[in-house]
Amino acid sequence: MLERLGLLPPQASTVALQTDMLYAFLVAISVFFAVLIAVAVIAFSVMYRRRSENDVTPYIHGSTALEIAWSVIPLGVAMVMFGWGAHLFVTLKRPPDDALQVNVVGKQWMWKIQHLEGRREINELHVPLGRPVKLTLTSEDVIHSFYVPAFRIKQDAVPGRYTTAWFEATRIGSYHLFCAEYCGTMHSGMIGKVIVMDPADYQAWLTSGAAVPVAAGAAADGAGPNLAAAGKDLFEQKGCLTCHQPGSVLGPQLAGIVGHSVELQDGTTVTVDDDYLRESILTPAAKLVKGFAPVMPTFKGQLTEEQVMQLIAYIKSLGPSAGTAGAAAGTGKTGS
Amino acid sequence: MTSTNYINADYGIWSWLLTKDHKRIAILYLVSITAMFLLGGLFALMIRLELLTPAGDLVSADTYNKLFTMHGIVMVFFFLIPSIPAVLGNFLIPMMIGARDLAFPRLNLASWYLFVVGALFALYAIFTGGVDTGWTFYTPYSTAAAHTNVIPAALGIFINGFSSILTGLNFIVTIHRMRAPGLTWFRLPLFVWAHYATSIIFILGTPVIAITILLVAVERAFHFGIFDPTLGGDPVLFQHLFWFYSHPAVYIMILPSMGIVSELITCFSRKVIFGYGFVAVSSMAIAVLGFLVWGHHLFLSGQSVYASLIFSVLSFLVAIPSAVKVFNWTATLYRGSIEFAAPMIYALGFIGLFTIGGLTGLFLATLGFDVHVHDTYFVVAHFHYIMVGGAIMGYLGGIHYWWPKISGRMYPEWPARIGAATIFVGFNLTFFPQFLAGYLGMPRRYHMYPPEFQVLNVMSTAGATILGVGYLLPLTYLLWSLRYGKVAPDNPWRATGLEWQTPSPPPTENFATTPVVTEGAYAYSDMHEAEFI
């Protein structure tokens, strides 16, 4: 009903309802305290308005009991707000394991989106109903922020690092996708749509469209090889195989490495995740794996953010054992 | 009015520009800060007119982006932060503690010149092409992408920062060293306590923003690679440094205003303030806790979940001393003798607006909720309730209350009451709809917007028009009163406080003989009728 009155945006994800319930709670508490203070101020103002120029007022200098009461009670209420908000936040930060993976790159002034299965789009994001979708975001230039009010989610896309967000759409339709972080002249024009489809329609959409070679970096909308396959092509083109092929001693083995921790030159360890892989591709010397010489050249400036994401998708697709490198490419599944 | 006072003690432009009298320096600030307020207000009005329709049809996207940036820079750095401390603090602190001047009068004059030089840099940036980074200067936009006058604007803020630091230093030394005999710490007026807390923020926080903004300029000019990831820098580091100052800066704006409201409520209720100690100590608590909450601006930046949890808890804690103050003011009204003079209307209006602003601050501190409304008009509404509703209501209330002391003339009472009411109504009509627009999903800093947000934006623009008229009213009748106003007695409100025990306007040396203090501030109530609740 509030939605129809124009007081709520459409409620189209699993967290939308939870956010709105928290909103209702916060509004209720606020109205209670605001009304309490307003009634007291107005009542006192009327009851104790100045009657003569020589009014005498009683000497009431304070009350420790009252001070403690009106410190401790609001503190208790605030901690309830904190707890509820923290619970929702942790939910928002933990994507389910079976989430569909979608990569998003922000750029002045558009959203470039790559589905793992190969379809790419600009300023539109097609997703199936009832399936969790995990977004990995970054930016090619300045900070942008991916915001879908109907889903009650927002996440900054920061250049130089990956951030993530997830949602599960609960209602078929088309919803605003805004950029919420000021990013320059066309900031308010950086608007897209999230289109929630019936899963069958989504599957059909995913495999339709003109075939465009993704690895070429073309920014067109259309289907192409899936992301891991595109990454495999890049992997071969850029000569990564020379050092990273099975059996090579020049570079670390990549198969099954994602999610594991590796020991570095300085004795510390790091968990291999998207951020570490990205850093190792662009700044190989930053965190060198123990036992390897710093011989890898940087690929900074030679790869777009989308291509880095394709390479990472490929590395993730490599099976757990070293012997299967390459063979597992093209399954479109993220190894975990 | 033939006696010698600080206004007629000396004549000529140079007697003002080279003065060492804290009261004259306050007047210099009053004039320059008011000019900046009018400029910032003009930008605000143009922004609101643009947003009357969903299409960006009044000004171009570039012009709009410059307008909101310059509105922010001018209002935050050149109006809200210096306004109360530099004008009213400067004028009143020495008088309230029974001193002849601030501890370092020449430094005080130098502070004003730094403010002016900083403002000139900012004006140069504005009138030779503008700045479009937003007042937050987020990197790498400000260092790598913006094509506008970022460096002069940054230098303006850098220079102006020294004005704040020196003012804070001057206040702290003055309050420590120059109190009249008998004026112990817990007899100080709450206005002085509030400025003491504010000065601590000035001294500890301002150097951080000054260095940060200088690094932006350096990186922009020489590509150092501190904040820009393509050069190996970290854009989120900038946000940490920026908000380490800029969140406490909100308390720079609101604490002095709270100090004023404490003075007004007790004077116009003619009753001792409820819980003096708690109100005084809560100012210090806000100043200290205010330094620990900056990370709540970074919930969506990719900072760790644990950091976000800690910043969220701390943000809730800082709300408690603020709540304590609101309850104490309300309790002060109980069984008082309340007069609705214009300053009191401003003070009561402050309580209303600050309550809404403070409560919606809790919304933003709530982690999962903030995700949805972060960077939307909900945030715009919230901080305007605090910084404009709170800070300006207090400032205007204070200007009216001390106007007789400052100018030697009374302001006209009825126009002033109408002005206060107009501002209150206009303010709510402007900013309340923005909470709703924000929850509906309208992002901030949008030049164009989807048509479903138009109704709320039209309401907001209508409110801004009323608010604009409301601000012009005091400007008009206060200037009028300088010539035609009733001559003010020494103590028109029958207020306590040392500043009222000297002529209006005060002589250059403030007091003929150093006053001796024998009791606490706010001896309004009848001590013989001691009652406790």
Side-chain angles (χ1 to χ4, degrees):
Chain A
M1 190 192 70
L2 288 170
E3 189 181 321
R4 204 161 298 158
L5 284 174
L7 293 173
L8 284 185
Q11 228 174 38
S13 79
T14 47
V15 293
L17 179 65
Q18 295 179 44
T19 307
D20 290 347
M21 281 163 58
L22 178 54
Y23 181 45
F25 171 73
L26 292 169
V27 169
I29 295 285
S30 300
V31 167
F32 173 78
F33 278 101
V35 167
L36 185 78
I37 291 161
V39 166
V41 167
I42 292 167
F44 291 164
S45 297
V46 173
M47 288 158 69
Y48 305 117
R49 65 189 180 279
R50 189 166 297 174
R51 290 185 168 78
S52 87
E53 267 314 297
N54 298 309
D55 280 354
V56 173
T57 58
Y59 182 73
I60 305 170
H61 69 88
S63 154
T64 308
L66 264 178
E67 300 281 359
I68 290 171
W70 65 42
S71 306
V72 170
I73 293 170
L75 183 65
V77 173
M79 286 304 108
V80 174
M81 290 178 178
F82 165 72
W84 192 337
H87 176 76
L88 179 58
F89 189 66
V90 170
T91 307
L92 283 165
K93 288 283 162 191
R94 252 197 226 141
D97 289 338
D98 61 338
L100 281 177
Q101 168 76 40
V102 176
N103 292 335
V104 180
V105 178
K107 178 184 184 339
Q108 286 175 321
W109 291 278
M110 64 178 86
W111 294 106
K112 300 197 286 184
I113 287 155
Q114 307 183 95
H115 296 261
L116 222 50
E117 290 79 359
R119 185 126 194 199
R120 312 172 75 206
E121 42 188 341
I122 286 179
N123 286 346
E124 282 191 9
L125 169 60
H126 289 74
V127 293
L129 184 75
R131 234 352 252 281
V133 176
K134 180 187 167 194
L135 308 170
T136 299
L137 301 124
T138 191
S139 162
E140 274 184 22
D141 38 45
V142 301
I143 300 174
H144 303 278
S145 190
F146 188 96
Y147 178 32
V148 186
F151 296 168
R152 314 288 189 272
I153 61 153
K154 185 184 292 116
Q155 178 62 52
D156 287 358
V158 184
R161 67 166 69 179
Y162 290 132
T163 54
T164 60
W166 79 276
F167 61 87
E168 182 181 327
T170 56
R171 200 197 287 183
I172 287 174
S174 169
Y175 306 102
H176 286 302
L177 159 59
F178 293 126
C179 176
E181 185 69 69
Y182 175 69
C183 60
T185 310
M186 288 305 295
H187 169 54
S188 65
M190 194 168 157
I191 294 184
K193 279 188 294 195
V194 178
I195 296 148
V196 180
M197 305 170 90
D198 180 78
D201 296 344
Y202 172 74
Q203 212 53 43
W205 172 86
L206 204 58
T207 49
S208 72
V212 174
V214 179
D221 178 12
N226 72 44
L227 232 52
K232 181 170 187 278
D233 288 348
L234 273 171
F235 199 78
E236 288 163 1
Q237 277 171 32
K238 298 284 175 189
C240 312
L241 266 176
T242 318
C243 303
H244 291 291
Q245 67 184 324
S248 169
V249 291
L250 290 167
Q253 297 296 301
L254 299 178
I257 201 171
V258 178
H260 293 279
S261 49
V262 292
E263 196 178 352
L264 302 179
Q265 217 65 320
D266 60 5
T268 58
T269 58
V270 64
T271 303
V272 179
D273 57 8
D274 292 13
D275 270 309
Y276 178 66
L277 289 174
R278 182 183 180 282
E279 185 181 25
S280 299
I281 294 167
L282 300 178
T283 324
K287 290 184 189 135
L288 208 60
V289 177
K290 191 171 183 126
F292 294 95
V295 292
M296 179 168 158
T298 173
F299 286 88
K300 197 179 255 180
Q302 300 177 43
L303 295 166
T304 64
E305 288 292 349
E306 288 163 293
Q307 287 175 322
V308 176
M309 286 174 151
Q310 289 161 13
L311 278 172
I312 293 172
Y314 169 65
I315 293 168
K316 281 179 167 174
S317 76
L318 296 173
S321 80
T324 57
T331 59
K333 290 280 178 200
T334 50
S336 56
Chain B
M1 221 177 47
T2 50
S3 62
T4 307
N5 58 54
Y6 80 99
I7 300 171
N8 64 19
D10 210 345
Y11 290 96
I13 183 87
W14 290 109
S15 75
W16 283 86
L17 292 179
L18 297 176
T19 184
K20 294 188 288 294
D21 183 346
H22 66 101
K23 299 180 289 300
R24 283 191 162 205
I25 294 169
I27 301 298
L28 294 177
Y29 268 117
L30 177 65
V31 172
S32 40
I33 279 173
T34 304
M36 295 307 270
F37 175 69
L38 291 175
L39 185 67
L42 185 70
F43 292 147
L45 215 52
M46 287 166 77
I47 291 167
R48 279 317 324 165
L49 280 177
E50 169 61 73
L51 294 176
L52 200 53
T53 59
D57 45 11
L58 182 69
V59 294
S60 71
D62 264 326
T63 308
Y64 178 83
N65 296 339
K66 287 173 185 171
L67 281 173
F68 81 71
T69 300
M70 298 183 306
H71 167 69
I73 290 176
V74 168
M75 285 302 203
V76 169
F77 294 109
F78 296 96
F79 174 70
L80 289 169
I81 287 176
S83 60
I84 300 177
V87 178
L88 293 172
N90 239 328
F91 197 96
L92 294 164
I93 287 174
M95 295 214 291
M96 282 183 166
I97 65 170
R100 294 190 161 206
D101 207 321
L102 286 174
F104 308 114
R106 286 181 185 83
L107 198 64
N108 196 19
L109 183 64
S111 303
W112 180 71
Y113 277 102
L114 285 168
F115 172 84
V116 171
V117 174
L120 289 176
F121 267 89
L123 292 175
Y124 168 81
I126 287 169
F127 291 111
T128 59
V131 196
D132 78 328
T133 59
W135 78 275
T136 52
F137 290 90
Y138 268 23
T139 57
Y141 187 76
S142 61
T143 57
H147 47 84
T148 47
N149 285 339
V150 177
I151 291 177
L155 289 179
I157 293 165
F158 178 76
I159 294 165
N160 184 39
F162 286 95
S163 167
S164 296
I165 295 167
L166 297 179
T167 300
L169 187 77
N170 221 338
F171 284 176
I172 287 183
V173 175
T174 306
I175 295 167
H176 270 274
R177 303 289 300 165
M178 299 176 70
R179 283 172 284 131
L183 188 55
T184 58
W185 281 92
F186 282 92
R187 284 178 179 173
L188 281 177
L190 291 163
F191 180 89
V192 177
W193 267 110
H195 276 79
Y196 188 76
T198 306
S199 300
I200 290 173
I201 306 176
F202 270 142
I203 290 186
L204 296 183
T206 316
V208 179
I209 188 76
I211 291 166
T212 308
I213 216 85
L214 192 66
L215 287 177
V216 166
V218 164
E219 172 140 336
R220 198 175 157 80
F222 307 112
H223 309 290
F224 270 22
I226 303 156
F227 303 127
D228 184 349
T230 60
L231 303 169
D234 181 359
V236 178
L237 171 67
F238 171 84
Q239 297 182 22
H240 280 288
L241 292 172
F242 179 84
W243 289 112
F244 181 80
Y245 165 78
S246 294
H247 196 81
V250 175
Y251 302 115
I252 293 179
M253 303 172 207
I254 198 72
L255 277 169
S257 195
M258 291 169 150
I260 291 172
V261 168
S262 301
E263 302 288 327
L264 300 183
I265 297 271
T266 171
C267 174
F268 290 100
S269 305
R270 203 167 285 166
K271 187 160 164 286
V272 63
I273 192 142
F274 190 88
Y276 170 92
F278 286 91
V279 179
V281 171
S282 64
S283 285
M284 300 301 289
I286 289 170
V288 172
L289 287 169
F291 274 109
L292 305 176
V293 302
W294 78 88
H296 68 217
H297 295 267
L298 283 83
F299 289 159
L300 300 176
S301 68
Q303 103 183 336
S304 85
V305 174
Y306 302 105
S308 295
L309 290 168
I310 289 165
F311 283 121
S312 173
V313 165
L314 291 167
S315 303
F316 281 108
L317 293 186
V318 79
I320 305 304
S322 307
V324 165
K325 283 190 198 273
V326 171
F327 293 132
N328 277 296
W329 293 322
T330 309
T332 304
L333 298 172
Y334 173 71
R335 298 185 64 189
S337 165
I338 300 169
E339 185 192 356
F340 299 98
M344 186 62 163
I345 297 175
Y346 277 110
L348 296 176
F350 171 97
I351 294 180
L353 300 183
F354 179 73
T355 302
I356 294 174
L359 285 166
T360 50
L362 297 176
F363 286 49
L364 296 172
T366 304
L367 276 165
F369 184 85
D370 179 69
V371 172
H372 175 53
V373 292
H374 193 91
D375 277 334
T376 67
Y377 266 78
F378 192 95
V379 175
V380 176
H382 157 72
F383 74 69
H384 278 87
Y385 263 88
I386 297 285
M387 289 156 57
V388 184
I392 299 190
M393 291 300 267
Y395 178 61
L396 288 176
I399 290 280
H400 283 80
Y401 179 60
W402 283 292
W403 190 251
K405 184 58 62 185
I406 294 170
S407 70
R409 301 278 182 163
M410 299 301 290
Y411 64 82
E413 188 58 44
W414 271 104
R417 289 180 187 179
I418 291 165
T422 309
I423 290 172
F424 185 79
V425 171
F427 181 88
N428 280 296
L429 184 56
T430 307
F431 294 105
F432 201 84
Q434 297 184 2
F435 284 122
L436 306 176
Y439 199 77
L440 281 176
M442 179 163 163
R444 67 194 283 198
R445 300 174 164 182
Y446 263 30
H447 169 232
M448 305 176 293
Y449 54 86
E452 65 258 35
F453 300 125
Q454 191 178 5
V455 174
L456 292 168
N457 274 291
V458 169
M459 287 166 73
S460 196
T461 301
T465 314
I466 296 171
L467 190 58
V469 172
Y471 285 140
L472 288 178
L473 271 170
L475 189 72
T476 314
Y477 65 71
L478 288 179
L479 284 174
W480 174 89
S481 77
L482 287 179
R483 184 175 279 264
Y484 304 103
K486 248 182 16 192
V487 171
D490 292 352
N491 187 359
W493 315 116
R494 293 168 62 194
T496 63
L498 296 176
E499 79 271 27
W500 300 108
Q501 296 179 19
T502 182
S504 303
T508 302
E509 64 276 16
N510 293 347
F511 301 96
T513 53
T514 304
V516 176
V517 180
T518 55
E519 59 187 352
Y522 317 117
Y524 290 103
S525 302
D526 186 356
M527 296 282 279
H528 300 296
E529 256 193 67
E531 283 186 44
F532 304 94
I533 54 174

